[in-house]
């Protein structure tokens, strides 16, 4: 696989693709997306319809390149774009659009990280809107349930498994060989029947001597 055989070249290609997406989007996909999300929440700017797809592509490129690029802030930006697109389909005022945008943020973050409590607490503190507590909690729980039905392994667990396997491999390589007994067939942790047969064979050899 090219990503494993030439990781530096693969990461450089992902960086080039990220730069091209940034140029095509007018720089909106650069960074964490916090400024764009804040402007959309305050009503001072609107997010393009394709912002959610472009930001999703940038996050995916960061993950497959194995370069840490953050999770929470980009996920909130994608959720804001998703909420903005949904708000376009719903009739209402600007305040209702902002509420849908906030719900989109907590839904995407809870689905991506599968951490519903953390997600709605972060969004609630970010927006300072405690009146949205119950809708945020309900949205986070529903999004978490849908995410678990699609991907049973949470994101951080999936990211931790390769590191754990590498650590276990290094530990096994550094472990000294198991001690051998007189005949060479006794090892630590052998079954009792094996140990008895080995003792019998050793005693027989000693009697013949």
């Amino acid at each position: 696989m090219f990503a494993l055989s030439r990781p530096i070249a693969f990461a450089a290609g992902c960086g080039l693709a990220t730069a091209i997406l940034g140029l095509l989007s007018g720089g909106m996909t650069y960074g964490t997306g916090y400024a764009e999300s804040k402007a959309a929440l305050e009503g001072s700017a609107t997010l393009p319809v394709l912002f959610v797809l472009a930001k999703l592509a940038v996050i995916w490129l960061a993950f497959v390149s194995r370069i840490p690029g953050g999770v929470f802030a980009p996920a909130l930006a994608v959720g804001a774009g998703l909420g903005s697109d949904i708000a376009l389909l719903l009739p209402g005022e600007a305040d209702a659009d902002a509420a849908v945008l906030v719900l989109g943020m907590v839904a995407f973050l809870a689905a991506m990280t599968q951490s519903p409590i953390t997600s709605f607490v972060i969004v609630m503190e970010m927006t300072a809107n405690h009146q949205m507590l119950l809708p945020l909690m309900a949205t986070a729980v529903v999004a978490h349930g849908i995410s678990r039905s699609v991907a049973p392994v949470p994101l951080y667990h999936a990211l931790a498994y390769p590191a754990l396997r590498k650590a276990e491999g290094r530990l096994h390589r550094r472990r000294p060989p198991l001690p051998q007994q007189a005949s060479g067939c006794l090892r630590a942790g052998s079954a009792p029947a094996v140990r008895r047969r080995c003792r019998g064979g050793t005693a027989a050899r000693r009697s013949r001597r």
Side-chain angles (χ1 to χ4, degrees), residues 64-174:
V64 297
S65 65
R66 300 186 180 184
I67 299 175
V71 173
F72 287 96
L76 290 173
V78 174
L82 180 62
S84 178
D85 290 347
I86 294 175
L88 295 176
L89 305 176
L90 301 175
E93 300 178 356
D95 294 338
D97 293 346
V100 175
L101 192 145
V102 171
L103 293 178
M105 293 170 65
V106 71
F108 190 84
L109 183 60
M112 183 174 180
T113 61
Q114 295 190 5
S115 303
I117 297 177
T118 303
S119 300
F120 81 76
V121 169
I122 288 177
V123 175
M124 185 182 64
E125 293 297 328
M126 178 181 176
T127 58
N129 189 352
H130 298 278
Q131 297 177 353
M132 292 284 295
L133 176 60
L134 291 180
L136 288 175
M137 292 177 63
T139 303
V141 172
V142 172
H144 171 258
I146 295 175
S147 177
R148 287 298 297 268
S149 66
V150 176
V153 180
L155 173 65
Y156 289 108
H157 291 187
L159 294 176
Y161 285 156
L164 291 175
R165 284 195 292 267
K166 289 182 181 179
E168 289 178 356
R170 290 194 297 265
L171 180 62
H172 290 313
R173 286 194 297 268
R174 294 176 182 176

Side-chain angles (χ1 to χ4, degrees), residues 38-55:
K38 183 179 179 181
L41 284 172
E42 294 175 349
S44 59
T46 58
L47 295 176
V49 177
L50 297 180
F51 173 79
V52 58
L53 297 179
K55 198 63 179 177

